[in-house]
């Protein structure tokens, strides 16, 4: 009895030691988990520094050798620590997107630039992958209509040892071991679910339709963005040309002032005014050239190519503009809504959410399933001192059943309410998209009419300003006019011609925008066809 009690006490102590070791291991692992906080910033006001960095956050930089050689300096006020929030550089992200193959001796017009954007802009690849993902989601849901067949292998080994009440010779315990392996083929098939999977498949198809429509819509937007930035770049180049012409006109006034000065008819004030006008014109030219470079980068951004790309752009200035455009009719707006990608995508999203309501309602109904299994087994049993016994067996079976949840804590009811709420919100979004599209069409048409009126007014102003400049310059040369009038006419001519160029570009952009909101900016030829009307 004493031996048995001592044995029990020993086993208890051994179990206690094992539990203690396990608890200590858990505590160590928890401490390791919390130590991960050391890799985060230490304080909201302190910079983050990567682990292993020699300079810790808030630490003072090492003293420069020159300062150390000079010895201690006079005492000064305590300076606040310098917080450097720079991040360590990573050479892996230093590679820029390579520039596309550009023919250096070729001038690219608008259709060629649109082609370049549709092949190079990364937004097209993103939208393409999103459309593919939506299509794959449809296929994954349709796969649930088919049975699921799996191959399984189950193997195991078990050994049991227990002491014998009475020793048999040198054997004082009995050991029994069993091992086996069972390959199986199982089939699971949801046969009937009252239309839940079909509703989910319909919703997935509507989402795929929306993704496809948005893919085409993105290409329409890229066409419009390239067209808009192309026209704005042309306007910027026109401003450079006008600035150069203004500089030449200012130099004519300067030459006239110098000639009058040499003849003793002018004054130093007139010469100074003329030179000031030349300097002002030169300053305007520099600003116009800077605007041209900015417009060029905006065009490259619309193309989606590297900012280091160098290409020649063939700007088609002097496009004829229509005299006027009519107000959009209800028929025109209705026709535009039928082909607007954003409206069509919102409509597909609405139908998808309505199918989601059907799927949520079907979750309240029972489900009928079919199961089947075919298995074989190979087991062996061995005991101490006995021959090993092997056995092979096989089994197969088919099962048909139905399941219906009786209580889920209101989960399905909440899911149905959520589906209905989502459908209502999507319907409101769809109505908002239609209203916004109609408003965009009306506003775009009004903008185009205003731009055309501005261009006609600016053209008349530019013609009048040109006559005024020529007359003022001739009058000053012949001594019947003043340099003040001549320089004022020069400045007025520049202002009028810039206004004319800006109004012309604004009319082109407004016409392109109207075509875009009408859903007509669909190909590389659309801008050219629009301008040819």
């Amino acid at each position: 009895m004493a031996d048995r009690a001592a044995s029990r006490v020993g086993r208890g102590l051994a179990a206690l030691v094992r539990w203690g070791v396990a608890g200590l291991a858990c505590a160590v692992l928890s401490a390791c988990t919390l130590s991960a906080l050391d890799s985060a910033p230490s304080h909201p006001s302190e910079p983050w520094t990567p682990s292993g960095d020699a300079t810790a956050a808030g630490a003072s930089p090492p003293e420069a050798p020159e300062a150390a050689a000079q010895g201690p300096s006079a005492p000064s006020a305590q300076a606040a620590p310098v917080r450097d929030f720079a991040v360590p550089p990573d050479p892996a992200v230093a590679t820029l997107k390579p520039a596309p193959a550009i023919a250096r001796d070729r001038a690219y017009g608008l259709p060629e630039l649109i082609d370049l954007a549709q092949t190079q802009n990364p937004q097209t690849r993103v939208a393409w992958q999103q459309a593919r993902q939506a299509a794959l989601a449809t296929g994954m849901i349709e796969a649930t209509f088919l049975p699921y067949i799996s191959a399984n292998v189950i193997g195991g080994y078990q050994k049991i040892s227990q002491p014998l009440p009475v020793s048999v010779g040198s054997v004082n315990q009995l050991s029994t071991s069993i091992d086996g392996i069972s390959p199986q083929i199982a089939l699971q098939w949801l046969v009937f679910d009252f239309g839940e999977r079909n509703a989910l498949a319909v919703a997935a198809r509507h989402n795929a339709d929306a993704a496809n429509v948005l893919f085409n819509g993105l290409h329409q937007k890229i066409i419009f963005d390239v067209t808009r930035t192309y026209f704005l770049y042309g306007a910027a180049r026109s401003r450079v040309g006008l600035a150069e012409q203004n500089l030449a006109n200012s130099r004519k006034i300067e030459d006239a002032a110098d000639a009058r000065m040499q003849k003793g008819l002018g004054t130093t004030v007139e010469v100074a005014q003329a030179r000031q006008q030349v300097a002002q014109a030169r300053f305007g030219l520099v600003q116009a050239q800077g605007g041209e470079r900015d417009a060029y980068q905006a065009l490259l951004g619309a193309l989606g190519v590297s900012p280091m790309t160098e290409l020649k752009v063939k700007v088609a200035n002097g496009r004829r503009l229509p005299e006027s455009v009519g107000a959009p009719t209800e028929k025109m707006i209705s026709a535009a809504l039928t082909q607007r990608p954003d409206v069509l995508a919102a409509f597909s999203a609405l139908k998808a959410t309505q199918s989601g309501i059907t799927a949520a309602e079907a979750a309240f109904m029972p489900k009928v399933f079919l199961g089947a299994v075919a298995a074989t087994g190979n087991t062996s049993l061995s005991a101490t001192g006995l021959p090993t016994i092997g056995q092979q067996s096989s089994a197969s079976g088919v099962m048909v059943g139905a399941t219906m949840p009786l209580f889920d804590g209101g989960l399905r009811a909440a899911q149905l309410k959520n589906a209905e709420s989502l459908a209502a919100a999507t319907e409101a979004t769809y109505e908002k998209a239609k209203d916004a599209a109609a408003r965009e069409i009306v506003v775009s048409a009004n903008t185009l009419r205003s731009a055309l009126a501005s261009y006609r007014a600016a053209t008349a102003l530019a013609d009048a300003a040109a006559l005024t400049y020529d007359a003022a310059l001739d009058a000053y040369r012949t001594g019947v006019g003043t340099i003040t009038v001549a320089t004022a006419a020069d400045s007025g001519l520049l202002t009028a011609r810039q206004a004319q160029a800006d109004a012309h570009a604004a009319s082109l952009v407004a016409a392109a925008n109207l075509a875009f909101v009408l859903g007509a900016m669909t190909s590389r030829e659309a801008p050219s066809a629009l301008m040819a009307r």
Side-chain angles (χ1 to χ4, degrees):
M1 294 294 292
D3 293 341
R4 290 183 180 179
S7 177
R8 290 177 181 174
V9 171
R11 288 196 296 270
L13 291 175
L16 183 61
V17 170
R18 289 194 296 270
W19 283 107
V21 171
L24 180 60
C26 292
V28 171
L29 291 176
S30 299
C32 293
T33 302
L34 293 176
S35 66
L37 288 173
D38 296 339
S39 61
S42 59
H43 192 270
S45 63
E46 295 296 332
W48 167 80
T49 55
S51 58
D53 196 339
T55 305
S60 300
E63 186 178 6
E66 295 81 359
Q70 293 175 0
S73 60
S76 60
Q78 181 68 26
V82 177
R83 296 184 176 92
D84 186 1
F85 287 89
V87 295
D90 189 349
V93 301
T95 304
L96 294 176
K97 178 183 178 181
I102 299 295
R104 297 297 181 89
D105 57 344
R106 176 183 177 185
Y108 287 78
L110 182 55
E112 292 82 7
L113 292 175
I114 291 175
D115 283 341
L116 185 62
Q118 291 181 310
T119 57
Q120 296 293 326
N121 199 308
Q123 296 183 58
T124 59
R125 292 187 289 276
V126 173
W128 179 56
Q129 292 297 342
Q130 290 173 345
R132 289 167 57 86
Q133 292 165 11
L136 290 173
T138 302
M140 287 187 286
I141 293 179
E142 291 176 348
T144 61
F145 288 90
L146 302 176
Y148 177 76
I149 302 175
S150 63
N152 310 307
V153 177
I154 302 175
Y157 173 80
Q158 184 181 28
K159 181 176 181 180
I160 301 174
S161 299
Q162 59 183 12
L164 295 175
V166 178
S167 301
V168 181
S170 60
V171 179
N172 57 6
Q173 65 177 2
L174 177 63
S175 298
T176 305
S177 64
I178 182 172
D179 63 85
I181 184 170
S182 174
Q184 305 173 359
I185 294 180
L187 178 144
Q188 304 174 35
W189 191 7
L190 180 59
V191 180
F192 186 67
D193 62 354
F194 287 90
E196 181 177 3
R197 289 172 297 173
N198 183 68
L200 294 175
V202 171
R205 284 193 289 270
H206 287 314
N207 288 330
D209 292 340
N212 293 333
V213 168
L214 290 177
F215 172 75
N216 281 10
L218 175 66
H219 275 272
Q220 293 183 22
K221 185 178 184 302
I222 289 176
I223 293 172
F224 168 67
D225 287 341
V226 173
T227 302
R228 178 178 58 84
T229 54
Y230 172 80
F231 289 147
L232 294 178
Y233 175 65
R237 287 180 55 173
S238 296
R239 283 193 291 270
V240 172
L242 293 175
E244 292 174 345
Q245 183 62 44
N246 180 61
L247 179 59
N249 293 341
S250 299
R251 284 174 175 164
K252 291 179 181 179
I253 298 176
E254 183 184 22
D255 294 340
D258 291 337
R260 286 172 55 84
M261 185 68 178
Q262 291 176 1
K263 295 178 181 179
L265 301 176
T267 64
T268 56
V269 175
E270 292 179 348
V271 175
Q273 285 180 324
R275 292 176 179 175
Q276 179 183 353
Q277 186 71 9
V278 171
Q280 183 67 34
R282 188 177 292 110
F283 175 72
L285 176 59
V286 172
Q287 286 186 314
Q289 291 171 343
E292 179 188 5
R293 289 190 293 268
D294 293 342
Y296 177 75
Q297 285 300 322
L299 177 59
L300 295 183
L303 296 176
V305 299
S306 170
M308 308 303 294
T309 304
E310 296 182 2
L311 55 84
K312 295 180 180 179
V313 179
K314 181 173 59 178
V315 178
N317 291 324
R319 289 177 179 264
R320 297 187 59 183
L321 299 177
E323 291 297 329
S324 62
V325 292
T329 62
E330 184 176 353
K331 182 179 180 181
M332 179 190 302
I333 295 175
S334 299
L337 294 180
T338 62
Q339 59 184 6
R340 280 276 298 248
D342 54 342
V343 176
L344 295 176
F347 183 61
S348 295
L350 172 60
K351 293 191 290 186
T353 55
Q354 291 173 345
S355 297
I357 296 178
T358 304
E361 292 174 341
F364 287 87
M365 307 302 292
K367 293 178 174 57
V368 180
F369 61 89
L370 173 67
V373 63
T376 62
N378 186 0
T379 59
S380 62
L381 172 67
S382 64
T384 303
L386 297 177
T388 300
I389 300 175
Q391 182 180 4
Q392 290 185 350
S393 61
S394 62
S396 61
V398 177
M399 177 181 65
V400 178
T403 178
M404 179 176 180
L406 300 179
F407 178 75
D408 59 0
L411 176 62
R412 290 171 297 167
Q415 290 174 341
L416 177 59
K417 290 294 184 182
N418 182 69
E420 293 173 347
S421 176
L422 182 60
T426 308
E427 183 177 6
T429 302
Y430 167 63
E431 295 296 334
K432 179 182 177 182
K434 289 198 299 182
D435 291 342
R439 187 173 296 104
E440 285 178 353
I441 294 172
V442 174
V443 172
S444 297
N446 293 336
T447 302
L448 178 56
R449 288 201 299 271
S450 299
L452 291 174
S454 298
Y455 174 70
R456 290 193 297 270
T459 300
L461 176 61
D463 294 340
L467 293 176
T468 301
Y469 169 76
D470 293 337
L473 180 58
D474 291 340
Y476 176 66
R477 284 173 175 170
T478 58
V480 296
T482 64
I483 192 171
T484 302
V485 174
T487 54
D490 184 22
S491 300
L493 177 60
L494 173 64
T495 302
R497 285 179 172 174
Q498 286 182 342
Q500 182 186 23
D502 292 343
H504 186 269
S507 299
L508 294 175
V509 171
N513 184 65
L514 179 58
F516 174 65
V517 298
L518 288 173
M521 195 68 74
T522 57
S523 68
R524 54 171 286 183
E525 303 299 336
S528 300
L530 176 69
M531 295 301 104
R533 295 177 183 175

